[in-house]
Structure formats: C-alpha cells, structure tokens
Amino acid sequence: MATATGQPITKHGSGAFSNLWSSIKQRYSARYITRRIIGTILVYITTLIIIFIIPHLMPGNIAYQFVSRLLAINPTISPAKALSIVEAEYGLNHPLYVQFEIYLKNVLLTFPPNFGNSFEFISTPAMRIVMRALPFTLLLIVISQVIAWGSSIYLGVKLALRKNHLSDKVAVPSLYMLYSIPIFWLALIFILIFTIDLHLISSSISVSAGAPFGKVMYALAFPIAIVVVSTVPNHVLIIRSATVDFLKSDFVMALKAQGLKSSTFTLKLMKNALLPSITQFFMQFGYLIGGIYVIESLFSLPGMGTVIITAAIEYDYPVLEAGLFVTSVVMIVSNLIADLLYPLLDPRVSYM
Amino acid sequence: MTEAELKGKNFLKNKFRGIGAENSMWRILFKDGYFRIGAGIVFFFFVLAIVSFFYLPYNPVASTGPLWSPPSYKHWFGTTGSGQDLFSQWMVGSQPTLLVAILSAAVASVVGVAVGISAGYFRRLDEPMMRMADVFLILPVLPLLIVIAAFIRPTNFTAALIIGVFSWPWMARSVRSAAVSIKKSPYIEVSRMNGVPNSSIMKSIFMHTLPIVLANAIFSATGGILFLAYMDYLGVGPVTSYAWGTTLFYAQQANALFVGAWWWIVPSGISIAILATGFSLLGYSMENAYRGVSSR
C-alpha cells in the first residue's frame, strides 16, 4: 500500500507504523475525522437516551418487581417500607428530569458506567456481570465471522461468475431460504439431528468464564458451526451482488484482456468483492448479534446473550440496561473502526 | 416539453399501473419465476390465515388428543406434550405472524417515506434527517427489541409498532435516493418553475417512488416475521396471541427436543422460514424489475 500511495518505504524499526500513519494522513482530512467522531458521539447519546426511556415505558416502576422478588424470599418484610428503600436506592422517587440527571451522571462520569445493582444477584453491580460475559461473546463473534466470511468470499465470487447458470438460479432462492431461517430453529434442528438422532456431538458442554482456551474452544465448536451455517447465506448474497456489479466494469474487461490464469482472475475478484461488502456487513450486525445472543442462551454459554436473555425473563432490569449499553457500545465502536479502516483497505476510497 | 420528456413523464406512471408500455413492471414481474414462487407462498399463507378464522380442526389450546402423539391421520402434525393439536396451532399461528408483518411494514413505510421524501426534496432537511437514520442503523436492533419487549410485554399491535420504529431507516435511505434522482428530472423542474405548490410536487414524487416503497415494505415485512419469531421464542413476545414462535417456545419449555418430538418443532419453524423467503423473493424480484425498467 505504501508504494501504491507514492510513499517511500522507510528502513528503520517503526517503518510499517510510520507508513500507516502517513497513509492515514493522506486519506483522511481532519474535517472528516472530526465529523465522523461527532457523529459517533451523537449515536452514543441517542443510545443513552433510548436506554433511559425503555424502563419508563413500563406501567408502574421497576421497584415493584424487585420488592415482589424480595417478598417471595422473605414474606415478613413490610412491602411499603421495602418499596421506599428500593426506590431511594435506584433514584426512582425523584421527578423524571432529576432521574435523567442522576442517570447521566452515573453513566457518563463514573467508570465503569454504573447501572445499579442486579436484582437477581443481589449486591453485585450489573455492569460487572455484563463485563464478565463480554470476552466470551467477542470470541464467539470473531471466530464464527472469520470462518463465515472466508468461505462466503469464495462461494459468492464463484456464484457471481456462474450467473444465469442453473446452479446460480437454484442457489439464490435456497440461500434466501437459509437466510430466512431463524437461527434458534436451525440450532434446534442441528441438535435434533446430530445429538439426539446420530449421537455425534454433545450439545451441552459446561464451560465457565475462566476455563482454559482448549476447553472453551471444545465447547464452542458446535455453536460456532451453527452460527457459521446461518450467517454464510447473508454474506454470500452480499458478495455475490457486489461481484455481479463489479463484473460489468471496464476494469474487469481489462483484467480479462490481460489473459490471466482463471485462478488469478478469481483471486483479484475476491479481493475486490471483500471491500464493498464490509459496510453491508456492519449494517446487518445488529441482527447478527441478536442471533448470536440467542444461540448463547440456547447452549447456556457464559456470554452476554445468556446474561441478557436470562435477565429479560427474570425481570432483572439493571442487568438488561447494562447489557444493552455494552452491546450498543460494541456496535458503535466496531462501526467507527470499520468506517475509518475502509479507505486504508481500498486505495480507491479517500475521505478528503 | 419534447416528445421524449413527455414520454418520460408518463413512463413511470405507466410502468407502475401497467398501462400502455409493453414492458410494464407487472408484466416483467409475472414472467419472473422468483416472483411467482414468492407470490404463491404468500398467497398460500394468507388463505391459511383467513381459513383459520372460520374453521379449525380442533381447539388449538385445549387438550384434544393423546399426549406426545406423532403425526397421524387424526392429528396431521401430531400433538403437544399436553395433547394440543399442532395442526390447529399451526393454522392459528399464521394470523399474528401476518398481522405483525404487515403492520410493522406499514409503520416502517409511513415513517420511512415521510423522512425519505422530505429529506430528498428539502435540501435543508437532508443532512439532519439522514444522520438520524444513520443513528438508527447503528443500533443493535434485535437485542434492543428483545429488551424493549421484556420491559413492556407487548401486544401484537405494540410489537408491530416497535418493530416498525426500528426498521424505517432502510426505507428512508432508498426513498431519499430515488426522490433526489426524480427531483432532478426536467418535468419536476418545469412544474417548480410554473409555481406548482410543493405539496403536489411531493405527492407526484411519492407516486413515482411507489415501486421502491413497495419493494422495501416487503423486505420490512420479512424482518417483522423474523423479529416476531425471535421475541416469541424467547418468551417476551405478545402474550395474547399464539404465533409460530410461541409454539416453539412451549416446545422448548416442555423439552420436546429431548423427547425427540420433532413434529412439535419442524412445521412452525419451517413455516417461518418459508413465509419469510416468500416475502424476500417478492421484494427481490420487484427490486430487480424496477431496476431493469428504469435502466432501460
């Protein structure tokens, strides 16, 4: 890339880094970067507001749930007194704008952001429960998406090259079908076939957050396979349509005229198809991450999905808010990184 | 206006209504195999939903047969762990699924068209409105819907509302880009110079974006089906109705998997997938037909 942008390749130790830096400076203007970062902050604030609004959509307030839970454990306490104590602890006895102020102070000014203590695991901060689960989810997402992405680039380009052949005409609707299958149902069918009928794979391998890596991977193999099968169709369809558009360009005509070997030609197509599909991928990340959460909860893996879905069923509101907050932050940060990396990966794009 | 411009003016209208032009959008569509498959699937489930209002073999929630019975002549899809007839449940399940799909698509269309056309037409609104759409695109939609549903415990209508509220940005984006390109065409410029009021120009722009709106609404309906299935399966969906996802939720609760009761799981899940595929094929072929016509 350094030679492509006309920068001399430096010999000293930090050469790669300084090259990267100079190409960054060439590709972006300061104005673009500030605009992009202001946009990110805007999204962050909107997310915070949405997370604040959601619990207030409910009739009554979340303290009633907590008190009924306490009453179930210990019926002798006085509900009115417990209610007032809980409301004071979560700041629910203030007017709405004061609550918003307290909320902003808790989330913006403290680190890690404070969403209060969990209802289920009493006296554990909700944020700690969520943060403990985060690495596991990230591992699952990264591994499954690297595998899915790699295989779909190959498949997508192959399908695009065979456009209007019978195999493409059959493949497209069947990929739509596979894409439309909810991931949890696919998992149920996989368990039914491979675990219950064929006795091939165990579907419940217990694993905890601090387990050694090999054991974690062993437990993750089956869920990862399911996530890969269910996300490949989406990637393939995106890459196929990007390549079909790309095949119409003059550029490809020139490539063909060069008389390249077909494998080299395909490789070049793959490289080109990769880039436009990145943006598309991050747009559908919100749906994908939800599916991965459901899979985690189905296999009882100690990830964010299990935490959030258990909290949703158990009415554990602080954990729900914290989980949603962390999910949004992961999405926002990965979107920002993808946006900023894009011109570095694709020499044709620059944000000046 | 020259002959060509006049033709251009009536062209989109004719294409949409299928009058005059030999290759109108509908004609192209009916030749398309994907469209026919998709239309067939959607039509089938609509008929199923309508029939289920008037006729059901059994009461879908009452225990009417042996427990855990596999498919038989009496119970076509078998029975649940408490003896409910799964065929009746499957028939009833099509109602809320289609209702939520259509309502959420309608909500997404109304918001998306309003935002898209005003952003495409008024240059001053363009930047803020599209930034707002970007904000909604980045949000983790599915986790957000699950959490909101956990808080508000929705009915079918509120579920459709929240699904629609989070799926309008796609619509807004494509409507905006179509509106921008239509706004540049000569006949709009002529009518602006003649002092035609903004509202009627916007109405005509809207009429011309209608095929795009329709295709996008169909894609939103697909999303609505899947989102509803996720919510129902996790047990946070509408509690007042019995959708396919709800059947799967109860199957999971009763450990149907470990009993080996595949008949409890397969029909509902496969129907979700088939209906969603039907809608996506419709949307896909409409988008293609629109592109084919407009690039001619």
Side-chain angles (χ1 to χ4, degrees):
Chain A
M1 180 143 297
T3 46
T5 55
Q7 288 290 306
I9 297 172
T10 45
K11 289 266 163 67
H12 57 83
S14 63
F17 184 75
S18 71
N19 268 330
L20 184 73
W21 181 240
S22 62
S23 64
I24 285 176
K25 273 203 290 193
Q26 270 198 343
R27 290 285 164 66
Y28 312 94
S29 58
R31 190 167 149 267
Y32 173 78
I33 292 190
T34 42
R35 247 185 70 184
R36 191 66 189 74
I37 286 170
I38 287 171
T40 306
I41 292 169
L42 215 67
V43 179
Y44 181 69
I45 289 168
T46 317
T47 321
L48 288 186
I49 292 171
I50 290 177
I51 293 174
F52 177 76
I53 291 172
I54 290 170
H56 293 278
L57 290 175
M58 199 180 58
N61 69 39
I62 60 177
Y64 292 102
Q65 280 295 333
F66 194 26
V67 170
S68 68
R69 184 188 294 268
L70 289 179
L71 274 177
I73 300 169
N74 182 359
T76 56
I77 54 171
S78 124
K81 203 176 163 198
L83 195 66
S84 70
I85 293 172
V86 171
E87 282 189 338
E89 165 148 6
Y90 290 91
L92 294 168
N93 46 3
H94 298 295
L96 208 58
Y97 65 92
V98 180
Q99 282 188 40
F100 189 59
E101 215 179 288
I102 296 171
Y103 166 81
L104 280 186
K105 217 177 272 172
N106 276 339
V107 176
L108 288 176
L109 299 182
T110 51
F111 187 83
N114 179 12
F115 286 92
N117 287 346
S118 160
F119 287 0
E120 203 186 355
F121 308 98
I122 294 167
S123 84
T124 313
M127 203 60 191
R128 194 187 295 162
I129 296 175
V130 173
M131 287 311 281
R132 211 184 282 148
L134 180 64
F136 202 85
T137 301
L138 290 181
L139 188 74
L140 182 58
I141 292 177
V142 170
I143 295 178
S144 63
Q145 290 318 298
V146 165
I147 298 174
W149 196 261
S151 44
S152 349
I153 288 171
Y154 182 76
L155 285 173
V157 170
K158 280 283 170 203
L159 275 182
L161 285 174
R162 298 183 64 83
K163 193 177 185 257
N164 295 333
H165 284 236
L166 187 65
S167 56
D168 180 65
K169 280 200 171 140
V170 175
V172 170
S174 36
L175 284 173
Y176 268 109
M177 173 96 186
L178 205 54
Y179 173 55
S180 306
I181 291 176
I183 196 168
F184 59 82
W185 188 73
L186 194 74
L188 293 181
I189 295 300
F190 266 50
I191 294 174
L192 198 64
I193 294 171
F194 292 108
T195 308
I196 314 267
D197 284 352
L198 301 177
H199 298 283
L200 276 179
I201 309 164
S202 168
S203 69
S204 56
I205 301 162
S206 67
V207 61
S208 61
F213 190 70
K215 204 179 167 202
V216 171
M217 286 317 297
Y218 181 62
L220 275 181
F222 195 36
I224 283 178
I226 290 163
V227 174
V228 167
V229 170
S230 116
T231 49
V232 155
N234 186 23
H235 296 333
V236 170
L237 285 171
I238 291 170
I239 290 169
R240 179 188 162 277
S241 69
T243 314
V244 165
D245 284 345
F246 181 64
L247 278 172
K248 289 176 195 152
S249 63
D250 299 340
F251 190 88
V252 170
M253 192 66 94
L255 270 184
K256 275 184 190 161
Q258 282 178 356
L260 293 173
K261 264 194 301 184
S262 74
S263 60
T264 325
F265 181 63
T266 317
L267 214 64
K268 284 201 186 279
L269 282 184
M270 281 180 191
K271 200 181 147 206
N272 264 288
L274 172 67
L275 296 165
S277 48
I278 289 179
T279 358
Q280 281 281 324
F281 168 68
F282 276 100
M283 288 199 162
Q284 310 201 332
F285 201 41
Y287 183 67
L288 173 76
I289 219 171
I292 286 175
Y293 281 6
V294 176
I295 286 293
E296 279 178 359
S297 127
L298 212 152
F299 286 94
S300 310
L301 300 170
M304 298 256 297
T306 315
V307 167
I308 289 182
I309 288 163
T310 316
I313 292 164
E314 302 281 339
Y315 301 93
D316 192 351
Y317 297 116
V319 172
L320 272 184
E321 287 179 37
L324 198 57
F325 172 78
V326 172
T327 311
S328 315
V329 168
V330 167
M331 292 263 317
I332 292 169
V333 170
S334 56
N335 259 291
L336 180 67
I337 292 174
D339 252 25
L340 292 182
L341 275 183
Y342 196 58
L344 286 185
L345 294 172
D346 191 343
R348 286 164 301 186
V349 180
S350 71
Y351 292 138
M352 289 309 278
Chain B
M1 270 193 278
T2 62
E3 179 92 10
E5 278 168 19
L6 268 174
K7 219 174 165 187
K9 182 182 172 182
N10 290 322
F11 170 65
L12 280 154
K13 206 193 278 171
N14 289 341
K15 178 181 65 190
F16 188 69
R17 293 191 185 149
I19 315 161
E22 303 106 54
N23 273 332
S24 72
M25 187 163 167
W26 293 118
R27 290 220 187 140
I28 292 177
L29 278 179
F30 279 115
K31 277 185 211 151
D32 188 351
Y34 290 165
F35 181 83
R36 277 185 287 186
I37 296 171
I41 291 169
V42 173
F43 181 71
F44 171 76
F45 281 107
F46 264 102
V47 170
L48 187 76
I50 291 166
V51 167
S52 71
F53 275 109
F54 303 108
Y55 171 75
L56 287 170
Y58 296 94
N59 181 348
V61 286
S63 177
T64 51
L67 313 187
W68 300 109
S69 148
S72 62
Y73 183 70
K74 246 181 127 183
H75 299 276
W76 287 2
F77 284 180
T79 59
T80 69
S82 45
Q84 297 153 337
D85 180 44
L86 277 167
F87 186 73
S88 309
Q89 284 196 3
W90 175 71
M91 282 179 77
V92 166
S94 61
Q95 296 171 14
T97 311
L98 284 170
L99 179 74
V100 171
I102 290 167
L103 279 182
S104 62
V107 172
S109 309
V110 169
V111 182
V113 166
V115 171
I117 287 190
S118 47
Y121 190 70
F122 300 109
R123 196 167 294 164
R124 205 168 296 159
L125 288 178
D126 192 9
E127 188 70 18
M129 284 204 158
M130 284 301 109
R131 286 295 83 77
M132 201 166 81
D134 286 350
V135 169
F136 274 81
L137 277 176
I138 291 182
L139 293 177
V141 180
L142 189 48
L144 204 59
L145 283 177
I146 291 167
V147 172
I148 293 178
F151 274 108
I152 65 173
R153 300 286 146 168
T155 61
N156 277 329
F157 293 97
T158 45
L161 187 72
I162 57 175
I163 292 171
V165 161
F166 286 101
S167 45
W168 62 266
W170 301 93
M171 175 76 83
R173 278 189 153 203
S174 32
V175 169
R176 176 193 160 273
S177 63
V180 165
S181 70
I182 291 170
K183 190 190 157 193
K184 279 180 195 146
S185 55
Y187 75 94
I188 295 281
E189 259 171 44
V190 168
S191 45
R192 281 177 72 181
M193 277 189 278
N194 284 339
V196 177
N198 274 344
S199 58
S200 65
I201 296 180
M202 278 164 82
K203 196 183 153 212
S204 109
I205 291 181
F206 167 66
M207 288 311 288
H208 286 172
T209 52
L210 217 48
I212 291 182
V213 173
L214 208 57
N216 268 286
I218 287 169
F219 282 127
S220 315
T222 313
I225 292 168
L226 291 178
F227 286 139
L228 180 74
Y230 274 99
M231 281 173 12
D232 275 333
Y233 170 72
L234 293 173
V236 295
V239 279
T240 46
S241 65
Y242 218 102
W244 292 326
T246 323
T247 305
L248 292 173
F249 170 69
Y250 284 119
Q252 181 82 347
Q253 292 287 303
N255 277 330
L257 262 183
F258 302 110
V259 182
W262 55 269
W263 57 88
W264 197 347
I265 295 162
V266 172
S268 319
I270 223 161
S271 309
I272 293 168
I274 290 177
L275 182 56
T277 314
F279 272 117
S280 351
L281 286 179
L282 276 187
Y284 176 72
S285 54
M286 283 178 102
E287 220 178 43
N288 271 355
Y290 179 77
R291 262 196 220 150
V293 168
S294 53
S295 67
R296 197 158 53 117

